């Protein structure tokens, strides 16, 4: 058995949905994980934003547009009146739930994060209902596995793997005749049973969690591009797919901005040693990228960039003699539940970077007890990934040299065998990515 996850663009229109159904059916009795149709989660976020602000007409207008869009989708996807009516009933439940918050969205009863999560869950509930109806209409014995019945996280946000496995096995055993299974990506319940999600782009993570608990043969992430490219195709021309990546390399790329994979998606697959294959829905025969525990040695594979980074420097004359200095610095970040991405130390100071500056003011204030603090905002981590084990001489020199006269705020190398990270200003990001591609791949 395999897990096949199809992203938002792959199910973005009735035509694409039919195509996905074909692809899935050709591949046998697998678990199909679907995202919301492209644009839907963004529209639901927009509705929630209006509700937070108490702007009910704004929310209503966005919902109306969404309803109109889905009326067309239902008509174009489904041929029989019965199938259409059934799908519309399912979808109408979503709109009704959202509308209940229009009545309550006043100042006395402010809109909450819990309600927002319920709204965001509707995109995947709708796309799977549509796919289910389409499969049934084709005469396929598809079985629906409701993610809200088995996908659950702890308070920490980590998936409760034992619970998920147990529930999922029971649900699948209840449907022994199923030709294939359909489930929702992204959505889950938290430890108290409330509807929640695995963060934006989290359907990849759903696929990987399901793959891991069921110990499947392969996890396939079907998207709108033929695998992990060697640089970000949104900013660099002439990028090429990477045939094979080590789990660790894929994890570095996903974490440092390669949008094709959710950052958390690699770990469950890696721990269970399940290959992950990135494939293109529009070009199903393309080889894509295979992520597993072996990959070509001694090569640079790809470059990625992570935006929205803040660098914080703590300079202290006392660092030389004061063991425990770094401990105190790290503890400050821990106290504010802020994780650190990059670190560079010297005798007189340390710089760390964070991608979440919501507690920055308090962190800086506390760090002032240990030294002089300065902050650089609007930075980007440029990350060069490959088999960069230190005996493979020369890669770091080439990466740094490629940036030429672009100022590099900090460099981190040697933390893992797979990554050289360089911090630059956001205005230099695109040029840095292009120069690295030119120097390392052309
Ligand atoms: P899905 O909706 O299927 O989950 P995403 O939009 O999340 O798809 O991810 C696919 C997109 O990731 C591509 O269209 C591409 O623009 C972007 N992307 C960013 N970096 C890379 C990369 N290194 N290789 C391939 N795609 C990338
Ligand atoms: N629909 C969700 C999002 O747009 C999850 C996903 O597509 O992976 O973020
Ligand atoms: Mg995605």
């Amino acid at each position: 058995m395999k897990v096949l996850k199809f992203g938002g663009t792959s199910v973005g229109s009735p035509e694409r949905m039919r195509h996905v159904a074909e692809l899935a059916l050709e591949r046998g009795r697998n678990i199909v994980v679907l995202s919301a149709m492209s644009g839907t989660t963004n529209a639901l976020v927009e509705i929630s934003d209006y509700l937070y602000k108490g702007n009910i007409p704004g929310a209503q207008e966005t919902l109306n547009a969404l309803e109109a869009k889905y009326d067309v989708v239902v008509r174009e996807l489904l041929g029989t009146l019965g199938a259409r009516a059934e799908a519309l009933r399912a979808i109408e439940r979503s709109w009704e739930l959202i509308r209940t918050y229009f009545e309550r969205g006043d100042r006395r009863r402010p809109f909450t994060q819990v309600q927002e999560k319920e709204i965001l869950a509707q995109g995947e509930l709708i796309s799977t209902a549509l796919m289910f109806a389409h499969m049934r209409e084709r005469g396929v014995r598809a079985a629906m596995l409701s993610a809200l019945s088995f996908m659950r996280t702890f308070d920490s946000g980590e998936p409760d793997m034992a619970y998920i496995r147990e529930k999922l096995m029971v649900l699948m055993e209840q449907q022994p005749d199923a030709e294939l299974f359909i489930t929702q990506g992204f959505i889950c319940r938290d430890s108290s049973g409330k509807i929640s999600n695995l963060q934006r782009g989290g359907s990849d993570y759903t696929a990987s969690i399901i793959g891991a608990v069921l110990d499947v043969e392969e996890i396939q992430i079907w998207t709108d591009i033929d695998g992990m490219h060697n640089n970000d195709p949104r900013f660099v021309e002439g990028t090429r797919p990477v045939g094979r990546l080590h789990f660790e390399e894929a994890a570095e790329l996903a974490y440092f901005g390669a949008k094709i994979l959710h950052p958390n998606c690699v770990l469950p697959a890696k721990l269970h040693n399940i290959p992950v294959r990135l494939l293109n829905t529009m070009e199903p025969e393309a080889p894509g990228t295979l992520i597993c525990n072996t990959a070509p040695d001694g090569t640079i594979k790809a470059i990625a960039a992570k935006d929205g980074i803040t660098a914080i420097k703590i300079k202290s004359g006392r660092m030389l003699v004061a063991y425990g200095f770094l401990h105190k610095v790290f503890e400050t970040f821990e106290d504010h539940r802020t994780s650190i991405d990059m670190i560079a130390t010297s005798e007189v100071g340390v710089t760390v970077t964070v991608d979440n500056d919501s507690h920055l003011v308090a962190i800086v204030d506390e760090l002032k007890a240990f030294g002089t603090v300065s902050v650089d905002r609007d930075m980007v981590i440029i990350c060069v990934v490959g088999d960069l084990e230190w005996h493979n001489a020369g890669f770091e020199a080439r990466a740094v040299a490629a940036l030429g006269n672009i100022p590099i705020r900090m460099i981190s190398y040697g933390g893992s065998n797979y990554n050289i990270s360089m911090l630059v200003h956001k205005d230099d990001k695109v040029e840095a990515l292009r120069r690295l591609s030119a120097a390392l791949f052309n």
Side-chain angles (χ1 to χ4, degrees), residues 267-334:
L267 188 64
K270 182 184 114 178
L271 292 177
H272 291 77
N273 196 18
I274 300 169
V276 178
R277 210 180 278 276
L278 309 182
L279 292 160
N280 187 352
T281 317
M282 326 302 166
E283 209 185 316
E285 303 314 322
T289 301
L290 178 64
I291 302 166
C292 58
N293 63 12
T294 57
D297 294 336
T299 56
I300 292 182
K301 307 286 188 347
I303 299 153
K306 185 172 180 183
D307 302 320
I309 303 294
T310 303
I312 304 153
K313 180 164 76 184
I314 308 107
K315 236 175 70 184
S316 167
R318 287 171 303 163
M319 199 170 157
L320 172 68
V321 284
Y323 59 80
F325 175 81
L326 284 178
H327 172 74
K328 281 188 262 178
V329 169
F330 290 152
E331 204 171 42
T332 307
F333 286 87
E334 193 186 326

Side-chain angles (χ1 to χ4, degrees), residues 76-373:
E76 290 183 1
L77 179 69
L78 302 168
T80 60
L81 291 179
R84 284 181 190 171
E86 198 181 320
L88 283 173
R89 262 199 303 279
I91 297 175
E92 188 54 38
R93 277 200 290 277
S94 292
W95 306 150
E96 265 166 29
L97 175 126
I98 297 173
R99 274 195 222 101
T100 57
Y101 297 129
F102 292 1
E103 284 137 41
R104 292 195 232 158
D106 60 32
R107 291 199 188 286
R108 280 159 296 144
R109 299 180 72 176
F111 186 65
T112 66
Q113 282 183 1
V114 174
Q115 294 165 350
E116 177 181 14
K117 286 174 179 167
E118 286 179 3
I119 289 183
L120 296 198
Q122 303 311 313
E124 274 69 12
L125 291 170
I126 291 174
S127 65
T128 49
L130 286 169
M131 182 60 81
F132 185 72
H134 172 64
M135 293 265 186
R136 302 291 260 197
E137 199 176 52
R138 292 173 75 135
V140 177
R141 282 195 310 279
M144 182 74 96
L145 301 168
S146 167
L148 298 179
S149 305
F150 68 86
M151 192 57 78
R152 194 178 171 112
T153 60
F154 293 116
D155 285 342
S156 62
E158 292 289 309
D160 183 344
M161 301 298 263
Y163 178 96
I164 295 167
R165 179 169 193 280
E166 192 192 315
K167 294 284 174 194
L168 193 52
M169 298 281 271
V170 171
L171 287 173
M172 290 172 73
E173 277 160 15
Q174 283 167 354
Q175 316 197 62
D177 297 334
E179 286 174 63
L180 60 74
F181 298 95
I182 300 172
T183 189
Q184 300 83 18
F186 177 61
I187 65 176
C188 62
R189 287 189 190 272
D190 65 15
S191 54
S192 64
K194 291 195 197 72
I195 293 182
S196 184
N197 62 60
L198 303 172
Q199 315 273 321
R200 293 304 305 269
S203 298
D204 301 338
Y205 194 24
T206 301
S208 174
I209 292 167
I210 293 177
V213 298
L214 297 180
D215 201 18
V216 299
E217 188 189 327
E218 187 168 286
I219 298 160
Q220 298 186 344
I221 308 290
W222 290 81
T223 181
D224 57 3
I225 188 165
D226 53 345
M228 177 74 79
H229 277 218
N230 58 8
N231 205 328
D232 194 322
R234 294 169 297 178
F235 305 109
V236 181
E237 280 173 24
T239 59
R240 288 188 296 269
V242 183
R244 213 175 163 113
L245 284 171
H246 194 280
F247 283 123
E248 312 276 359
E249 293 169 332
E252 298 272 13
L253 287 166
Y255 185 74
F256 287 107
K259 187 184 173 238
I260 188 172
L261 265 191
H262 186 273
N264 293 342
C265 163
V266 179
L267 188 64
K270 182 184 114 178
L271 292 177
H272 291 77
N273 196 18
I274 300 169
V276 178
R277 210 180 278 276
L278 309 182
L279 292 160
N280 187 352
T281 317
M282 326 302 166
E283 209 185 316
E285 303 314 322
T289 301
L290 178 64
I291 302 166
C292 58
N293 63 12
T294 57
D297 294 336
T299 56
I300 292 182
K301 307 286 188 347
I303 299 153
K306 185 172 180 183
D307 302 320
I309 303 294
T310 303
I312 304 153
K313 180 164 76 184
I314 308 107
K315 236 175 70 184
S316 167
R318 287 171 303 163
M319 199 170 157
L320 172 68
V321 284
Y323 59 80
F325 175 81
L326 284 178
H327 172 74
K328 281 188 262 178
V329 169
F330 290 152
E331 204 171 42
T332 307
F333 286 87
E334 193 186 326
D335 289 347
H336 293 280
R337 301 172 68 102
T338 299
S339 68
I340 292 171
D341 281 330
M342 276 174 86
I343 309 168
T345 64
S346 85
E347 195 45 54
V348 293
V350 52
T351 295
V352 301
T353 70
V354 298
D355 64 3
N356 164 11
D357 60 6
S358 44
H359 301 288
L360 192 65
V361 173
I363 290 172
V364 167
D365 195 51
E366 285 173 37
L367 288 174
K368 283 182 179 163
F370 315 128
T372 316
V373 183

